[in-house]
Amino acid sequence: SQTIHQWPATLVQPVGSPLSLECTVEGTSNPNLYWYRQAAGRGLQLLFYSVGIGQISSEVPQNLSASRPQDRQFILSSKKLLLSDSGFYLCAWSFSYEQYFGPGTRLTVT
Amino acid sequence: DQQVKQNSPSLSVQEGRISILNCDYTNSMFDYFLWYKKYPAEGPTFLISISSIKDKNEDGRFTVFLNKSAKHLSLHIVPSQPGDSAVYFCAASGLTGFQKLVFGTGTRLLVSP
């Protein structure tokens, strides 16, 4: 069966510091991969998605970036965090319409 | 521009009764709809889905109804249990293939014993 991992579970970072969140999927090959953010009291906002290694589509302009260096690895990065980057970050995978989510990372930018 | 809307931020129901969660969408190009359940500090869990060629899909205690003419879908939970207390998100897809889902803002369901 497929399993999706995210780490770290929680992260507190100062404004202006870099960010790297990692997501890996086990038990499948060549999935579609996604990064979402849920801000406090808000819905899920799609940030990036990838249909293959090195293929990244960005949904919203921001100071975040994503990379897919391996088939089952998806990384969310920032060179300099803003206060507005605080939120709950979720990685997901899919082959079709249904997307399956990881446990999430709670990021607090101070 | 909120293409998928959940107008009720919260819903309280007694254990054993029916919970009805509603969702409206604006774009008639959506052709697949999903419901997710989310506990605090966890990722959403897929519950049930429905294609636009159907008007009902049932899975155990969960039934999703789709009214295409009204651009409305609903999730019925019968009977409701305290463990169903969570935030429920509806989502829609189809505008650009299956790669992207558009989520509503969620409805918090509280099922009291």
Side-chain angles (χ1 to χ4, degrees):
Chain A
S1 65
Q2 298 86 1
T3 308
I4 181 167
H5 303 279
Q6 282 186 250
W7 62 91
T10 60
L11 191 60
V12 180
Q13 291 283 97
V15 169
S17 63
L19 173 73
S20 181
L21 301 181
E22 189 163 343
C23 169
T24 59
V25 181
E26 295 178 357
T28 186
S29 296
N30 198 30
N32 297 319
L33 295 174
Y34 308 82
W35 278 111
Y36 287 87
R37 176 172 58 205
Q38 184 184 19
R42 305 286 296 276
L44 297 173
Q45 181 186 35
L46 179 62
L47 302 175
F48 301 94
Y49 72 94
S50 171
V51 298
I53 296 175
Q55 301 179 61
I56 309 295
S57 296
S58 174
E59 288 298 295
V60 290
Q62 59 211 320
N63 71 320
L64 299 172
S65 62
S67 62
R68 185 171 178 174
Q70 299 180 43
D71 179 43
R72 290 170 287 179
Q73 183 185 31
F74 206 22
I75 298 172
L76 183 69
S77 304
S78 174
K79 292 182 179 178
K80 289 185 178 181
L81 284 169
L82 306 173
L83 284 174
S84 58
D85 291 323
S86 293
F88 192 53
Y89 288 82
L90 290 155
C91 181
W93 71 271
S94 80
F95 282 127
S96 183
Y97 289 99
E98 292 84 4
Q99 294 181 14
Y100 299 93
F101 288 82
T105 295
R106 170 72 60 192
L107 172 65
T108 303
V109 182
T110 60
Chain B
D1 179 24
Q2 191 72 24
Q3 296 188 74
V4 179
K5 302 177 184 179
Q6 294 177 257
N7 293 318
S8 298
S10 63
L11 174 67
S12 292
V13 172
Q14 281 193 315
E15 181 178 7
R17 308 293 284 267
I18 184 172
S19 295
I20 300 176
L21 298 104
N22 294 303
C23 180
D24 297 292
Y25 60 96
T26 57
N27 198 319
S28 57
M29 295 299 290
F30 287 132
D31 62 2
Y32 202 84
F33 304 89
L34 306 91
W35 284 95
Y36 284 83
K37 172 182 179 180
K38 185 182 182 300
Y39 293 117
E42 294 184 9
T45 301
F46 169 71
L47 269 179
I48 191 169
S49 60
I50 187 167
S51 165
S52 60
I53 63 173
K54 296 184 176 181
D55 55 17
K56 176 182 175 181
N57 188 26
E58 189 173 355
D59 184 2
R61 297 188 296 117
F62 302 92
T63 302
V64 56
F65 295 91
L66 176 62
N67 182 335
K68 289 189 292 293
S69 61
K71 295 189 179 67
H72 177 83
L73 66 154
S74 60
L75 174 68
H76 293 210
I77 306 174
V78 182
S80 301
Q81 299 173 352
D84 295 329
S85 298
V87 177
Y88 289 78
F89 291 96
C90 67
S93 185
L95 295 179
T96 56
F98 60 78
Q99 285 91 347
K100 294 196 288 186
L101 296 180
V102 178
F103 282 85
T105 52
T107 296
R108 183 176 302 277
L109 173 66
L110 177 63
V111 181
S112 54

